[in-house]
Structure formats: C-alpha cells, structure tokens
Short mmCIF file of all heavy atoms in Angstrom, two decimals:
data_model
loop_
_atom_site.label_atom_id
_atom_site.label_comp_id
_atom_site.label_asym_id
_atom_site.label_seq_id
_atom_site.Cartn_x
_atom_site.Cartn_y
_atom_site.Cartn_z
N VAL K 1 0.84 -1.20 0.00
CA VAL K 1 0.00 0.00 0.00
C VAL K 1 0.87 1.25 0.00
O VAL K 1 0.57 2.24 -0.67
CB VAL K 1 -0.95 -0.01 1.22
CG1 VAL K 1 -1.70 1.31 1.33
CG2 VAL K 1 -1.93 -1.17 1.11
N TYR K 2 1.96 1.19 0.76
CA TYR K 2 2.91 2.31 0.79
C TYR K 2 3.48 2.56 -0.61
O TYR K 2 3.55 3.70 -1.07
CB TYR K 2 4.03 2.00 1.77
CG TYR K 2 5.17 3.00 1.75
CD1 TYR K 2 5.07 4.21 2.43
CD2 TYR K 2 6.34 2.73 1.04
CE1 TYR K 2 6.11 5.12 2.40
CE2 TYR K 2 7.38 3.64 1.01
CZ TYR K 2 7.26 4.83 1.69
OH TYR K 2 8.29 5.74 1.66
N LEU K 3 3.84 1.49 -1.31
CA LEU K 3 4.36 1.61 -2.66
C LEU K 3 3.30 2.16 -3.61
O LEU K 3 3.60 2.96 -4.52
CB LEU K 3 4.87 0.25 -3.15
CG LEU K 3 5.48 0.20 -4.55
CD1 LEU K 3 6.65 1.17 -4.66
CD2 LEU K 3 5.94 -1.21 -4.88
N TYR K 4 2.06 1.75 -3.41
CA TYR K 4 0.94 2.26 -4.21
C TYR K 4 0.84 3.79 -4.10
O TYR K 4 0.68 4.50 -5.10
CB TYR K 4 -0.36 1.60 -3.74
CG TYR K 4 -1.61 2.06 -4.45
CD1 TYR K 4 -2.09 1.39 -5.56
CD2 TYR K 4 -2.32 3.17 -3.99
CE1 TYR K 4 -3.24 1.81 -6.22
CE2 TYR K 4 -3.47 3.60 -4.64
CZ TYR K 4 -3.92 2.92 -5.75
OH TYR K 4 -5.05 3.35 -6.39
N ILE K 5 0.95 4.29 -2.87
CA ILE K 5 0.85 5.74 -2.64
C ILE K 5 2.04 6.48 -3.26
O ILE K 5 1.87 7.53 -3.89
CB ILE K 5 0.77 6.02 -1.13
CG1 ILE K 5 -0.52 5.39 -0.55
CG2 ILE K 5 0.79 7.52 -0.85
CD1 ILE K 5 -0.61 5.48 0.95
N ILE K 6 3.25 5.92 -3.08
CA ILE K 6 4.44 6.57 -3.62
C ILE K 6 4.39 6.64 -5.14
O ILE K 6 4.71 7.67 -5.73
CB ILE K 6 5.72 5.82 -3.15
CG1 ILE K 6 5.87 5.93 -1.64
CG2 ILE K 6 6.95 6.38 -3.86
CD1 ILE K 6 5.98 7.35 -1.13
N TYR K 7 3.95 5.56 -5.77
CA TYR K 7 3.87 5.56 -7.23
C TYR K 7 2.86 6.60 -7.73
O TYR K 7 3.11 7.30 -8.70
CB TYR K 7 3.48 4.16 -7.74
CG TYR K 7 3.33 4.07 -9.23
CD1 TYR K 7 4.44 3.93 -10.05
CD2 TYR K 7 2.07 4.14 -9.84
CE1 TYR K 7 4.32 3.85 -11.43
CE2 TYR K 7 1.93 4.06 -11.21
CZ TYR K 7 3.06 3.92 -12.00
OH TYR K 7 2.92 3.85 -13.36
N ARG K 8 1.74 6.69 -7.02
CA ARG K 8 0.70 7.67 -7.43
C ARG K 8 1.19 9.10 -7.27
O ARG K 8 0.90 9.97 -8.09
CB ARG K 8 -0.57 7.45 -6.61
CG ARG K 8 -1.75 8.32 -7.09
CD ARG K 8 -2.13 7.90 -8.48
NE ARG K 8 -3.15 8.76 -9.07
CZ ARG K 8 -2.89 9.79 -9.86
NH1 ARG K 8 -1.64 10.10 -10.17
NH2 ARG K 8 -3.86 10.51 -10.38
N LEU K 9 1.96 9.37 -6.21
CA LEU K 9 2.46 10.71 -5.98
C LEU K 9 3.60 11.07 -6.93
O LEU K 9 3.75 12.22 -7.32
CB LEU K 9 2.95 10.85 -4.53
CG LEU K 9 1.90 10.75 -3.43
CD1 LEU K 9 2.56 10.81 -2.06
CD2 LEU K 9 0.87 11.88 -3.55
N ASN K 10 4.38 10.09 -7.31
CA ASN K 10 5.58 10.36 -8.10
C ASN K 10 5.39 10.29 -9.59
O ASN K 10 6.18 10.86 -10.35
CB ASN K 10 6.70 9.39 -7.69
CG ASN K 10 8.00 9.66 -8.41
OD1 ASN K 10 8.42 8.90 -9.28
ND2 ASN K 10 8.66 10.75 -8.07
N THR K 11 4.35 9.61 -10.04
CA THR K 11 4.19 9.41 -11.48
C THR K 11 3.96 10.74 -12.18
O THR K 11 3.25 11.62 -11.69
CB THR K 11 3.01 8.47 -11.78
OG1 THR K 11 2.94 8.28 -13.19
CG2 THR K 11 1.70 9.04 -11.28
N ARG K 12 4.61 10.87 -13.33
CA ARG K 12 4.46 12.07 -14.15
C ARG K 12 3.73 11.75 -15.45
O ARG K 12 3.65 12.57 -16.35
CB ARG K 12 5.85 12.65 -14.49
CG ARG K 12 6.60 13.15 -13.26
CD ARG K 12 5.96 14.41 -12.71
NE ARG K 12 6.73 14.96 -11.61
CZ ARG K 12 6.48 14.71 -10.34
NH1 ARG K 12 5.49 13.92 -10.01
NH2 ARG K 12 7.22 15.26 -9.39
N ASN K 13 3.21 10.56 -15.53
CA ASN K 13 2.55 10.12 -16.76
C ASN K 13 1.12 10.64 -16.80
O ASN K 13 0.35 10.45 -15.87
CB ASN K 13 2.55 8.58 -16.82
CG ASN K 13 2.17 8.07 -18.19
OD1 ASN K 13 1.69 8.83 -19.03
ND2 ASN K 13 2.39 6.81 -18.42
N ASN K 14 0.77 11.35 -17.88
CA ASN K 14 -0.60 11.86 -18.00
C ASN K 14 -1.61 10.73 -18.10
O ASN K 14 -2.76 10.87 -17.70
CB ASN K 14 -0.71 12.78 -19.22
CG ASN K 14 0.10 14.05 -19.03
OD1 ASN K 14 0.26 14.54 -17.92
ND2 ASN K 14 0.62 14.58 -20.12
N PHE K 15 -1.19 9.59 -18.66
CA PHE K 15 -2.07 8.44 -18.79
C PHE K 15 -1.77 7.49 -17.63
O PHE K 15 -1.17 6.43 -17.81
CB PHE K 15 -1.86 7.75 -20.14
CG PHE K 15 -2.14 8.66 -21.30
CD1 PHE K 15 -1.11 9.32 -21.95
CD2 PHE K 15 -3.44 8.87 -21.73
CE1 PHE K 15 -1.37 10.15 -23.02
CE2 PHE K 15 -3.70 9.70 -22.79
CZ PHE K 15 -2.67 10.35 -23.44
N TYR K 16 -2.19 7.88 -16.43
CA TYR K 16 -1.93 7.10 -15.23
C TYR K 16 -2.64 5.76 -15.31
O TYR K 16 -3.85 5.70 -15.55
CB TYR K 16 -2.39 7.89 -14.01
CG TYR K 16 -2.46 7.09 -12.74
CD1 TYR K 16 -1.30 6.63 -12.13
CD2 TYR K 16 -3.69 6.79 -12.14
CE1 TYR K 16 -1.35 5.90 -10.96
CE2 TYR K 16 -3.75 6.07 -10.97
CZ TYR K 16 -2.59 5.63 -10.38
OH TYR K 16 -2.63 4.90 -9.22
N ASN K 17 -1.88 4.68 -15.12
CA ASN K 17 -2.42 3.33 -15.22
C ASN K 17 -2.73 2.82 -13.81
O ASN K 17 -1.84 2.37 -13.08
CB ASN K 17 -1.41 2.41 -15.92
CG ASN K 17 -2.03 1.08 -16.29
OD1 ASN K 17 -3.04 0.65 -15.73
ND2 ASN K 17 -1.42 0.40 -17.26
N ARG K 18 -3.98 2.90 -13.43
CA ARG K 18 -4.36 2.48 -12.09
C ARG K 18 -4.22 0.97 -11.92
O ARG K 18 -3.87 0.50 -10.83
CB ARG K 18 -5.81 2.91 -11.81
CG ARG K 18 -6.24 2.65 -10.37
CD ARG K 18 -7.68 3.05 -10.13
NE ARG K 18 -8.08 2.79 -8.77
CZ ARG K 18 -9.32 2.93 -8.32
NH1 ARG K 18 -10.27 3.35 -9.14
NH2 ARG K 18 -9.60 2.66 -7.07
N SER K 19 -4.49 0.21 -12.96
CA SER K 19 -4.37 -1.25 -12.88
C SER K 19 -2.93 -1.66 -12.58
O SER K 19 -2.68 -2.56 -11.77
CB SER K 19 -4.83 -1.89 -14.19
OG SER K 19 -6.20 -1.62 -14.43
N PHE K 20 -1.97 -0.99 -13.21
CA PHE K 20 -0.56 -1.28 -12.95
C PHE K 20 -0.21 -0.95 -11.51
O PHE K 20 0.51 -1.70 -10.84
CB PHE K 20 0.32 -0.49 -13.91
CG PHE K 20 1.79 -0.68 -13.68
CD1 PHE K 20 2.44 -1.82 -14.12
CD2 PHE K 20 2.53 0.28 -12.99
CE1 PHE K 20 3.80 -2.00 -13.90
CE2 PHE K 20 3.88 0.11 -12.77
CZ PHE K 20 4.52 -1.04 -13.23
N ASN K 21 -0.73 0.16 -11.01
CA ASN K 21 -0.44 0.56 -9.63
C ASN K 21 -1.03 -0.43 -8.63
O ASN K 21 -0.41 -0.74 -7.61
CB ASN K 21 -0.99 1.97 -9.37
CG ASN K 21 -0.33 2.62 -8.18
OD1 ASN K 21 0.63 2.10 -7.60
ND2 ASN K 21 -0.82 3.78 -7.80
N LYS K 22 -2.23 -0.93 -8.92
CA LYS K 22 -2.82 -1.93 -8.04
C LYS K 22 -2.01 -3.21 -8.05
O LYS K 22 -1.87 -3.88 -7.02
CB LYS K 22 -4.27 -2.22 -8.46
CG LYS K 22 -5.23 -1.08 -8.17
CD LYS K 22 -6.68 -1.49 -8.34
CE LYS K 22 -7.00 -1.81 -9.78
NZ LYS K 22 -8.44 -2.12 -9.97
N SER K 23 -1.44 -3.54 -9.20
CA SER K 23 -0.58 -4.72 -9.28
C SER K 23 0.66 -4.55 -8.41
O SER K 23 1.12 -5.51 -7.77
CB SER K 23 -0.16 -4.97 -10.73
OG SER K 23 -1.28 -5.20 -11.55
N LEU K 24 1.20 -3.34 -8.36
CA LEU K 24 2.36 -3.08 -7.51
C LEU K 24 2.05 -3.32 -6.04
O LEU K 24 2.90 -3.80 -5.28
CB LEU K 24 2.83 -1.62 -7.70
CG LEU K 24 3.42 -1.25 -9.06
CD1 LEU K 24 3.80 0.23 -9.07
CD2 LEU K 24 4.63 -2.10 -9.39
#
C-alpha cells in the first residue's frame, strides 16, 4: 500500500495506469 501511494504521488505520466499501480 505504501508503494501504491508513492507511485501515485511520483508518477508524471498523464495516462496514469491504475491497474498497474494496483498490481504493484
């Protein structure tokens, strides 16, 4: 869950892939 939050805060991609983040 911590990694999920960090990826969401750090990503600079306009096409944010939520499925990939959930996999992380």
Side-chain angles (χ1 to χ4, degrees):
V1 173
Y2 172 81
L3 181 58
Y4 178 93
I5 297 173
I6 295 300
Y7 178 81
R8 187 65 186 95
L9 294 176
N10 183 251
T11 182
R12 295 290 185 265
N13 193 348
N14 293 329
F15 300 98
Y16 167 69
N17 192 338
R18 186 181 179 187
S19 297
F20 177 78
N21 200 7
K22 289 191 294 184
S23 300
L24 293 179

